[in-house]
Structure formats: C-alpha cells, structure tokens
C-alpha cells in the first residue's frame, strides 16, 4: 500500500477570529482510499484540550446566537442550503473517495441530507408555541421553546454527510451551538460543510468540527458545558454513549444497530421484491443501518425468490465508486473487509447454504472489495442471522406463515426497520400493527421517513426518548416553558392558600 503524498486533515475546524486552530494532539489515524487500498491521508486525532477549545468556542457564541431572531436563523439556513446544493457534487466526490460508495449513492445521501436542511429552514413555524386566552379570570397561559445550549453530534462513517445533517441544521436553527465529531475514516465532507456554514454567514463558533476517536468521544460525553449529545452507530457504543452522557446530566439520543428483515409473501410481485432486496441489501455495500440483511421467505415463495435474487446479485457491477458504471463499491477499510469475510466463513461452518459467495469477486483494483453474498436456509441461532454484519450479505430465512415471520422479527433485539412485500392490504395492515419495529415499509425496502417525520427504531436500536430530525428533532434540541400571566388592575384582597383553580 502506498503511503506517499499523504494529506494532513486538521484536528479541529472551528471559527475564531476567522482563523482555524489546531490543538495539542499529534496522534493520527489513516484515511484509506477503499477502491485502491491506498493510504491517502492522515487525520489528526483530537485530545481533551482540543475538544475543550471547540466547546469554549461554542459556549462563547451561544448567547448571541440564541438571541438571534428566528427569521434571521431561517434566512441563514436557506443560504447554507443553497451552498450545499451548489457544492453537492464536490461533497459527493469526497464521500465516494473516502467511504467507497458509488457516486450516485453519495449524491443520494446528500439529497436526503438537504431535505433535513429544507425542514430546518421552516424553523419559524416549527418553534411556534401555544396560547390560551382567559384560562382563568384575567389569566392567560402560553408556551414557547428555547434552545438547550452547546450540543454535540457523534456520527458514523457510513453516511459522513447525511447523518450529521440529521443533527446540526435543526440544532443550529433552534438556537443552539454545535460541536460535530465525525468518523475519522471519512472526515473531509465535514470540513467542507464547516466552510459552507461560514460562507453562509454563520457566526464564529456556532458550528465546530473536531476529528477524533474514543478519546475525543469521551471528552465530549464528560464535558460539563455540553447539554445534549446525538449519536448514531452500533448498539454497544450507543448504549455506552447513553449511559456515560446521561450520568453527567446530558440529554441523549443514541441510535444503535439494526438487523432489518424483509418479509416476502407468496402473493408478492417477485420481480419487484427481488429488485428491492438487491437494492436494500447490496446498495452502499450493505453499509447502511437501514440495509435489508434478512429476507424472510414465507411458504413456497422461497425457491423462486432465492433463484431471482441469485441471478440479480451475480449481475451487479462491482468497482470503484468514482468509476462510471459501478453499481456497488468497496467496503470502507481492511478491517471491515476481514470482518465480513469472517462472517461468510461462519455462515458456511454453521451449515447455511452459500448461494452467492462474495469472496469469489474478481476486481482488478487492490481495494477492499467483497461482492454480493447470499445465504439460504439460515436459522436464527447462526451468527449471520444474529449479528449486524454491516456488509453486502443477505440471509434468507424460510418460514411457514406471516405470523411466524412476525414472531421471528419480534424476537430480535434490534428493531430499526422492516418491510413486507405483498399484494394483500389485510396482510400489510396486520404486519404494520403487529411488528415491534420503529420504521416499516410496505413494498418499500428501506423505509427511511422523509425529513418532516422522525427517524428511529425501537428496543436496542434506540437509547433515549427522541428519534432524529422531524418534530422529535426539534423537541430534542429545545425545552418548553409554560407561562401563566395575570395583569391585575387593583390590589387583591389578600392571599388565597388554596390550590389555584380556574375561576
């Protein structure tokens, strides 16, 4: 692997007197080119002093930004939104070069992120409170929402642009300041986003980027001036983030892992179902928290379904993400590649039928490539069923009925998303009411809600009370005040010691 011409990505990207500042850390982590296997950059890893510098910048900017009119915040978000759209191809190329996903998939990620910015542009409407006139004699009651303070986001490698955009546009639009700790595996998009915020006119210190690993994460979780933490990642780390941050009194939303099932009934359009399983299982090389990794085949649909998925999986064009015609790129790192190969070996050892073996992929490049992989006759005790593989591996589980499929899904601790393919409205309604899962698709394989709804799972896929973006995102980054007011004309007769009631 080549290590020449390595770039150094700054430790901290925040805006103080128009200058970038870097902290004391000299530790680095590699940024790979997943398509070639080359070590293309080093990212400096922040230490506690670096995190503290970013938080101090955010705290200094907080009072002025929180007092900024909601209309000015909205206009600035519009300006930022237009700049992101203008630089969408630049951002997509950064994502593809460091993550590995194909360019069109990276563009799609940016478009979904833009939808959250669009939602945040409507903040004047979203922050409207309630007012009740004359709730008692000469008494009015109203409510409004105020920002929490300095907020932080800790985000994963698989969506280096979109997932942070689930957080910072809403946090900033509601009057908070923000510290982002993106994944150190693909850090460049966050730096460009910081530059676009500055170009849009965001005041110094309102948005800050700190690159780092667990040292930086712990510094964020423990920092006394951070009021709230948003996180997306694996379930063990989500649990850790939630426990450690809430112990310090912080508000936390921590989204964990997923094992998403797609149920295919015998009455389904099999061509549609197979196409959608291919897209949801192998898009972005399976590195999505909403990827379909389990196909639940009901009754005699299993044989024809497996045949169709095998044919379509073998036809997928795997190659570098920036190469025209590539449909699926590499996985993000050599460690990810070895982990996925290990799960394929485990599935074979456990007795599952390996229908398509992604290890047989013939790609000229020396990158981190593993092809679409399909297992049949998988059972719930196997690792390839139980664990979140986070790679292009789809496991087919055969069941006898829709009720058995629902029981299988409800028996899983991870409950992010699920889907059903059927022509029966009755079956779909039974499914959507019975499964214990946060996001459900009916003939839709990746049921990610639009930005004006909220995103989040159930069970071990979510720690905390709030889902992300949409109305729950606004609620997470704000807290409500209720004001009861009276403006009497004359002095009252004296104190009334009874509990106050409407009169």
């Amino acid at each position: 692997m080549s290590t020449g011409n390595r770039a150094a990505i700054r430790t901290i990207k925040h805006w103080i007197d128009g200058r970038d500042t870097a902290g004391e850390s000299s530790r680095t982590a590699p940024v790979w080119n997943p398509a070639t296997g080359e070590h293309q950059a080093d990212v400096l890893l922040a230490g506690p002093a670096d995190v503290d510098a970013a938080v101090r910048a955010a705290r200094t900017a907080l009072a002025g930004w929180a007092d900024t009119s909601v209309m000015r915040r909205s206009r600035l978000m519009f300006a930022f939104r237009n700049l992101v759209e203008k630089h969408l191809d630049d951002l997509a190329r950064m994502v593809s070069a460091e993550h590995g996903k194909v360019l069109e998939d990276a563009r799609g990620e940016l478009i979904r992120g833009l939808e959250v910015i669009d939602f945040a542009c409507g903040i004047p409407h979203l922050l409207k409170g309630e007012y009740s006139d004359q709730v008692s004699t000469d008494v009015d009651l109203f409510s409004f929402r105020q920002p929490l303070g300095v907020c932080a986001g800790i985000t994963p490698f698989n969506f280096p642009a979109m997932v942070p955009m689930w957080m910072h546009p809403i946090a900033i639009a509601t009057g908070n300041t923000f510290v982002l700790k993106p994944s150190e595996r693909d850090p460049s998009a966050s730096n460009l986003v910081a530059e676009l915020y500055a170009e849009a006119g965001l005041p110094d210190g309102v948005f800050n980027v700190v690159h780092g690993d667990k040292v930086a994460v712990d510094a964020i979780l423990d920092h006394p001036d951070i009021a709230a933490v948003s996180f997306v990642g694996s379930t063990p780390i989500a649990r850790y983030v939630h426990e450690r941050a809430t112990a310090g009194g912080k508000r936390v939303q921590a989204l964990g892992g997923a094992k998403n099932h797609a149920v295919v009934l015998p009455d389904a359009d099999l061509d549609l179902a197979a196409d959608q399983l291919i897209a949801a299982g192998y898009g972005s090389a399976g590195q999505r928290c909403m990827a379909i990794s389990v196909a639940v085949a009901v009754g005699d649909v299993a044989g024809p379904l497996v045949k169709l998925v095998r044919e379509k999986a073998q036809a997928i064009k795997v190659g570098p993400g920036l190469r025209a015609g590539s449909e699926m790129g590499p996985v993000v790192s050599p460690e990810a590649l070895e982990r996925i190969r290990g799960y394929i070996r485990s599935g074979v050892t456990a007795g599952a039928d390996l229908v398509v073996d992604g290890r047989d992929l013939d790609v000229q490049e020396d990158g981190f490539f593993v092809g679409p992989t399909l297992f049949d006759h998988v059972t719930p005790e196997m690792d390839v069923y139980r664990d979140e593989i986070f790679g292009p591996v789809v496991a087919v589980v055969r069941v006898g009925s829709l009720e058995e499929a629902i029981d299988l899904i409800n028996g899983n601790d991870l409950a992010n998303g699920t889907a059903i393919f059927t022509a029966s409205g009755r079956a779909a309604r039974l499914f959507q009411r019975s499964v214990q899962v946060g996001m459900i698709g009916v003939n839709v394989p990746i049921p990610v809600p639009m930005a004006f709804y909220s995103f989040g799972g159930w069970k071990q896929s979510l720690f905390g009370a709030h889902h992300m973006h949409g109305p729950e995102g606004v609620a997470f980054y704000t807290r409500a005040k209720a004001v009861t007011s009276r403006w009497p004309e004359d002095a009252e007769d004296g104190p009334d010691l009874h509990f106050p009631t409407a009169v």
Side-chain angles (χ1 to χ4, degrees):
M1 297 182 184
S2 172
T3 57
N5 300 318
R6 288 186 257 167
I9 299 170
R10 292 188 184 276
T11 308
I12 293 181
K13 190 80 170 178
H14 65 259
W15 308 97
I16 302 175
D17 299 328
R19 298 191 302 266
D20 295 344
T21 65
E24 91 289 351
S25 178
S26 59
R27 297 181 306 117
T28 65
V31 179
W32 300 99
N33 181 333
T36 65
E38 291 180 331
H39 182 178
Q40 63 177 329
D42 282 328
V43 58
L44 293 166
L45 300 176
D50 297 314
V51 172
D52 185 63
V55 175
R56 280 189 283 110
R59 189 180 64 227
T60 299
L62 178 62
W65 183 243
D67 283 343
T68 299
S69 74
V70 69
M71 285 304 301
R72 185 182 170 202
R73 282 188 248 141
S74 175
R75 292 189 189 106
L76 191 143
M77 200 56 62
F78 268 112
F80 172 64
R81 180 238 179 263
N82 291 338
L83 287 168
V84 170
E85 185 174 51
K86 177 181 176 181
H87 290 273
L88 190 144
D89 284 344
D90 298 329
L91 285 161
R93 286 185 174 276
M94 284 182 177
V95 169
S96 182
E98 293 181 352
H99 174 280
K101 65 178 67 177
V102 299
L103 191 57
E104 200 57 37
D105 195 21
R107 288 193 184 104
E109 168 182 346
L110 266 299
I111 289 169
R112 292 309 298 264
L114 268 172
E115 292 169 359
V116 180
I117 305 174
D118 288 338
F119 177 78
C121 289
I123 202 64
H125 172 76
L126 299 170
L127 286 181
K128 287 195 302 185
E130 298 176 315
Y131 189 97
S132 295
D133 175 70
Q134 199 73 354
V135 294
S136 185
T137 303
D138 295 331
V139 175
D140 304 325
L141 179 61
F142 62 95
S143 67
F144 60 96
R145 305 193 72 88
Q146 290 184 309
L148 298 178
V150 179
C151 299
I154 302 166
T155 58
F157 77 87
N158 59 321
F159 288 100
M162 183 188 74
V163 169
M165 288 179 185
W166 287 356
M167 303 172 185
H168 56 74
I170 298 175
I172 290 170
T174 52
N176 302 281
T177 56
F178 201 83
V179 177
L180 172 64
K181 205 298 289 181
S183 172
E184 65 276 19
R185 297 179 187 176
D186 39 18
S188 293
S190 295
N191 284 355
L192 180 52
V193 166
E195 293 171 5
L196 297 182
Y197 265 127
E199 186 176 345
L202 192 69
D204 297 347
V206 175
F207 179 71
N208 313 275
V209 175
V210 178
H211 297 296
D213 55 6
K214 185 179 183 297
V215 173
V217 168
D218 287 347
I220 288 170
L221 301 181
D222 296 340
H223 202 291
D225 291 331
I226 292 177
V229 175
S230 300
F231 171 84
V232 176
S234 70
T235 287
I237 306 303
R239 183 185 295 110
Y240 171 82
V241 166
H242 183 263
E243 291 176 354
R244 186 157 179 164
T246 55
K250 293 174 175 50
R251 183 179 290 189
V252 180
Q253 53 180 185
L255 274 60
K259 196 69 180 180
N260 304 318
H261 300 65
V263 176
V264 183
L265 295 186
D267 65 356
D269 180 330
L270 280 193
D271 276 324
L272 170 68
D275 283 342
Q276 299 304 306
L277 287 174
I278 289 291
Y282 303 128
S284 197
Q287 298 172 124
R288 295 171 174 160
C289 66
M290 291 296 284
I292 292 296
S293 54
V294 179
V296 185
V298 178
D300 58 7
V301 77
L305 178 67
V306 169
K307 181 176 182 293
L308 273 173
V309 174
R310 180 188 68 229
E311 293 171 355
K312 294 174 185 292
Q314 291 172 332
I316 292 174
K317 298 174 183 176
V318 181
L322 292 173
R323 175 190 291 170
S326 292
E327 296 174 316
M328 190 184 103
V331 295
V332 70
S333 68
E335 294 81 10
L337 179 63
E338 183 52 37
R339 186 190 70 248
I340 294 162
R341 286 174 171 168
Y343 274 108
I344 297 172
R345 291 192 296 270
S346 172
V348 172
T349 301
D353 182 7
L354 184 56
V355 179
V356 181
D357 188 350
R359 298 171 299 177
D360 293 338
L361 188 70
D362 183 16
V363 177
Q364 294 179 348
E365 289 76 10
D366 292 328
F368 313 132
F369 290 97
V370 59
T373 298
L374 178 65
F375 280 104
D376 192 9
H377 297 287
V378 173
T379 55
E381 73 277 2
M382 295 180 181
D383 289 344
V384 291
Y385 173 80
R386 288 200 319 263
D387 297 348
E388 184 181 28
I389 299 173
F390 227 64
V393 180
V394 174
V396 177
V397 178
R398 300 183 178 219
V399 299
S401 66
L402 174 58
E403 290 74 17
E404 189 178 345
I406 291 171
D407 288 343
L408 177 73
I409 294 168
N410 289 347
N412 199 293
D413 287 337
L414 300 178
N416 213 37
T418 189
I420 185 170
F421 291 90
T422 181
S424 168
R426 183 181 181 190
R429 190 169 188 274
L430 171 66
F431 181 79
Q432 69 194 33
R433 288 178 56 81
S434 301
V435 289
Q436 299 167 11
V437 177
M439 293 171 284
I440 300 164
V442 177
N443 298 315
V444 174
I446 304 179
V448 177
M450 297 297 289
F452 42 87
Y453 281 75
S454 297
F455 179 102
W458 287 13
K459 299 182 182 177
Q460 300 298 301
S461 292
L462 174 71
F463 297 85
H466 293 90
H467 290 179
M468 289 198 176
H469 64 65
E472 290 196 45
V474 174
F476 177 78
Y477 288 116
T478 59
R479 49 189 170 191
K481 281 184 176 177
V483 180
T484 305
S485 66
R486 172 190 289 158
W487 300 96
E489 293 185 7
D490 302 311
E492 298 188 17
D493 295 333
D496 182 352
L497 302 185
H498 296 133
F499 192 84
T501 56
V503 178

